Structure formats: C-alpha cells, structure tokens
Amino acid sequence: MDRMSLIGGLEEIVGSSNVLHSPMDMTLYGYDASLGRGMPDVVVLPGSTEEVAGVVALAHGEKVPIIARGSGTNLSGGTIPIRGGIVVHLSRMNRILEIDIPNRTVTVEPGVITLDLQGRLLKEGFTYAPDPASQKVSTIGGNVGENSGGPHCLKYGVTTNHVLGAEVVLHDGSIVCLGGKSQDNPGYDLLGLLVGSEGTLGVVTKMILRILRTPEAVKTMLAIYDSIEDAGNTVSAIIAEGIIPATLEMMDHVVMRAVEESVHAGYPLDAAAVLIIELDGLRDGMERQAGRIREICKANGVREIQVARDDKERARLWAGRKGAFGAMSRLRPSYMVCDGTVPRTRLPEVLNKVLEVGEKYDLVIGNVFHAGDGNLHPLILFDERDEKELAAANAASSEILKICAEAGGTISGEHGIGIEKLEEMSLIFSEADFDAMRRVKHALDPRDILNPGKVIPAAPS
Ligand SMILES: Cc1cc2nc3c(=O)[nH]c(=O)nc-3n(C[C@H](O)[C@H](O)[C@H](O)COP(=O)(O)OP(=O)(O)OC[C@H]3O[C@@H](n4cnc5c(N)ncnc54)[C@H](O)[C@@H]3O)c2cc1C
C-alpha cells in the first residue's frame, strides 16, 4: 500500500482531522527526549479502543510499523520511528474512567497525564504511588510502557507493582483484557510481561491501577554533606537500620549549582552532596524514626540537617529535585541521562568512578538520582552539534553503564532500553537470553510491526 492509500485508510478509521501527515508534523513526531531521530509516515490520534484496534489491524495487514506514543518524554528512543510507520499518539484517550474507592482502584485511559491523575485522586484522599519526575507531562500509558519509577518507588515499588489490569490491542488488532480487580489471577502473567515492554508487545488502551490512601503525615529533611562518600554511606546505613523512607534522593554539587541558578531551592552551594529524605505514614512514631535518621546521618559525617517546617518549605526542597534535569539543560545545548542501577552499598565507589569517567572524556557530569534504589542518573553535558563531544558523551555513557554492570548492577533502573542501550544489553544478557526474548516477541508479534527494532538487539546474521 502506498503512503497516500495508507493515509486514506487511516482517515476512514479515525477521521481526517485525527490523521497528521505534513512534513512539519512528521519532523515533530520524529524525536523524543532521547538523542535519537527518525521519521514516521503518518501520525494518528485515535479516540477509542476500537479505533486503535482498527489502526493496528490495518498496519498488520500491510506490515507497517506501529509506534505507540504518550508524551514522548522517554529517554531511550522508545518512540523514535526508526523504520517509519504509524505513530499512534494516545493523547485524546485521556479520561479517568472510574475511581473505585472500596476496591482501591482507578481505571484510566493511556493518555491521562500522571500528575493530573494524582491531582484528581488527592481530592478523594488517595494517591497513585509511582511519581516519575516527568509526571507533569508523562502519561500513564508511557509509564506502563517504560515501567517507570520515581522518588516514591523506594517504599512503594515501581509501576508494575501498581498495575492490576490492562486492556490491550494485540498485533493483529484483537483486543484482550489482562488481570483485573481481583487479587490473584491464574494463568500466565501476561500483564507482568506487558509492563515495561516499551510498546513492543501491544498497545495499552485501558489500565486498572492500585490506589493508596494519602499518608497521614509527611516529614521532609535535607541532609547536607561535604563528601559524596558520606552521603552514599548514609543511604545504605538508613536502609540497614530497617527504615524505608518514602524517598531517599541524592544530588551532587554540580546539580545543586545548576538548580540554584534556575529554581532557587536554597541548596548550599559549597556542599559536595545533599540527600532529600522523606518519611511518610502514621504521625505516631514518625518523630522517633526521624530522630534515628538524624543519628545515622551524624554517624556518617553529615554537616547539617534541615527539616521542612511546613508544606511551603517542603515544596521548595522538592522544587529543586524535580527541576534538576531542566536546570542542568540550561548549562549546555544537550544532556544525556545515564540510567544504571547498582547495589546501594556500592554507591560511593561507583560515584567516584563516574567522576573519573567525566575527567577522562573532559565532560561535565552531574548526579541527581534515586539513591535509595541505587538508581544512578549521571547527567552528561555536551553539545550534540560537535561530533567529537557527541562521540565522547556516547563513550562516557557506555562506560558508566559498564561500571554499573561490573558492580553487580544493571543498565536501566527505569528509563528502558529503547534504541539507546541495545548495545549495552549484552553486558547483562547472554545470547541464549536474547533468543528466549526474541521467541516471546515473535509469538506475540510475528510480523514484527509493534515498535520494531527496540529493546532486544537484532539476532546475529
Ligand atoms: C525531565 C525528565 C525527567 C524524568 N524522570 C523520570 C523518572 O523520575 N522516572 C522515570 O521512570 N522516568 C523518568 N523520565 C522518563 C520518562 O518521562 C518516562 O519514561 C515516562 O514514563 C514516559 O512517559 P511518556 O508518556 O512520555 O511515554 P512515551 O515516551 O511517549 O513512551 C514511552 C514508551 O512507552 C510506549 N508506550 C507509550 N504509550 C503506550 C501505550 N498506550 N501502550 C503501549 N506502549 C506505550 C512507547 O512506545 C515507548 O516505548 C524522565 C524524563 C524526563 C524528560
């Protein structure tokens, strides 16, 4: 089928106002928050599951790639149309369909913005725990696609721990429902397989999510350190004590400086690192736990601990963390976010090695990350228009992921594989592992139309 016939076929399914095909639109949908670039043939904005199914069935018949897209904020090239095809932008499917308090679930369409869901649930005294720092923009469909994490995932778990059910359009346009509101589901855990599959196994059109009561009390502290090792050691010591804070985030001096120039969160410019430690839960016992954390911080060389006295101060401390990526992006034309995970006891050692990588390649690298999970996010600053700098940034990123893998960690904590980390997959998986993954993909998408070329490296020829 030629491009114009494809566009005509899609217009019949979703209406001509919901099909984009101008050169400018194709350019706009050719990138995401990664450094990758591609070009779709056409973009559709379906308004219902049936329309998604119609689009996928047409693509299946014509063997045209389908790339599901939420807000395109993923950092690994997951929505880059590397082989052209149809971008299915799910932004029109943005309804919260049901809030079921007795069963503690919410049912949503994929285009719901994560923070909008949080805001709606807050009115009922409930919350949806996964809170990626991009939540102002990211969609629940994209969060499910990437199995996203966030500051609160240390205590509450990542997206997969909160998805109870999903309606999914499969490769040929058939519609299946996985999981549901009941607590246990027999049969294969296809829902587990789907979450984090980056749009390579199906297009999610509805999700049933777990919701939790908002905590009775919250206490937020900023622990300030003169050495990054001391901050890293504090993280392991708190968890070893049996305390699981709601969040345990770390920022180094490079990031704090950038934040202060943009957000003015009041971070100390002469410190080496800060930890944002937040406790939540019952008011009873919280002060005792905070006291124990203060002792642990002191035993690990903390310089000062600030405690937020009210919501305004708490919001100020968080504004810096949440605006950190944006603040860093003001310093150079481009930044690359590495996303590796290490056992938290190895954090100080690995952070030092990241510093050495920056020196080796003459690149500024800032660190802002989910320290409690051992999930590092070294932000490499560079100018992608300068070929030498681009090559250095790519090499530095690869080396950092290798360091993470060698420290007993892995090459992604939450940002997925997409196209950017295909090469590094072999640091943690064998050819036999890849073969098993390829067989799963082939069983669920035999014509290889669902986000082809992502997540699993191509088979050796
Ligand atoms: C400043 C910044 C901060 C960030 N902070 C975090 C963070 O703290 N934690 C974190 O985990 N990530 C973070 N991210 C990465 C990103 O925001 C997340 O991966 C997010 O979940 C992507 O959502 P999205 O709607 O933009 O999805 P997209 O980027 O549009 O899509 C992501 C993937 O999901 C697939 N997909 C999208 N919708 C569907 C669907 N309906 N069905 C099937 N597949 C689908 C896509 O094909 C793609 O592979 C950050 C990104 C930025 C730019």
Side-chain angles (χ1 to χ4, degrees), residues 190-206:
L190 295 181
L191 188 62
L193 187 60
L194 183 88
V195 180
S197 63
E198 303 187 31
T200 61
L201 301 179
V203 181
V204 183
T205 46
K206 217 175 271 174

Side-chain angles (χ1 to χ4, degrees), residues 42 58 61 63 96 99 185-186 218 255 297 311 360 380 383 408:
V42 54
L58 176 64
K63 209 169 184 289
I96 296 172
I99 298 177
N185 289 290
V218 177
V255 175
C297 292
D311 283 351
K360 175 174 166 189
I380 305 174
D383 183 346

Side-chain angles (χ1 to χ4, degrees), residues 264-407:
H264 315 299
Y267 297 151
L269 289 177
D270 60 340
V274 291
L275 291 177
I276 299 181
I277 308 168
E278 187 163 280
L279 295 170
D280 73 2
L282 297 176
R283 207 175 305 278
D284 222 21
M286 188 169 283
E287 196 41 59
R288 199 175 53 243
Q289 220 173 39
R292 186 65 198 117
I293 286 179
R294 272 192 216 102
E295 285 167 18
I296 295 170
C297 292
K298 281 186 191 144
N300 284 282
V302 75
R303 183 215 288 182
E304 184 192 337
I305 301 174
Q306 297 174 2
V307 181
R309 281 165 299 188
D310 51 33
D311 283 351
K312 206 170 145 205
E313 280 192 13
R314 182 174 169 242
R316 177 179 57 79
L317 292 183
W318 274 114
R321 167 62 183 92
K322 293 195 172 157
F325 282 23
M328 287 291 282
S329 72
R330 296 168 80 228
L331 302 184
R332 291 302 311 274
S334 324
Y335 71 79
M336 189 185 282
V337 189
C338 296
D339 169 39
T341 299
V342 296
R344 59 179 83 84
T345 47
R346 307 284 298 267
L347 274 177
E349 163 202 342
V350 170
L351 284 168
N352 275 327
K353 287 189 178 163
V354 169
L355 279 179
E356 286 166 19
V357 170
E359 280 161 21
K360 175 174 166 189
Y361 290 98
D362 196 20
L363 293 165
V364 175
I365 303 182
N367 288 285
V368 46
F369 60 102
H370 312 309
D373 300 308
N375 184 193
L376 295 167
H377 288 338
L379 292 171
I380 305 174
L381 300 183
F382 65 106
D383 183 346
E384 68 181 291
R385 295 165 301 185
D386 179 332
E387 275 180 28
K388 260 173 76 184
E389 268 196 45
L390 176 62
N394 278 319
S397 162
S398 238
E399 208 161 308
I400 290 171
L401 294 178
K402 191 158 180 266
I403 291 167
C404 291
E406 283 170 359

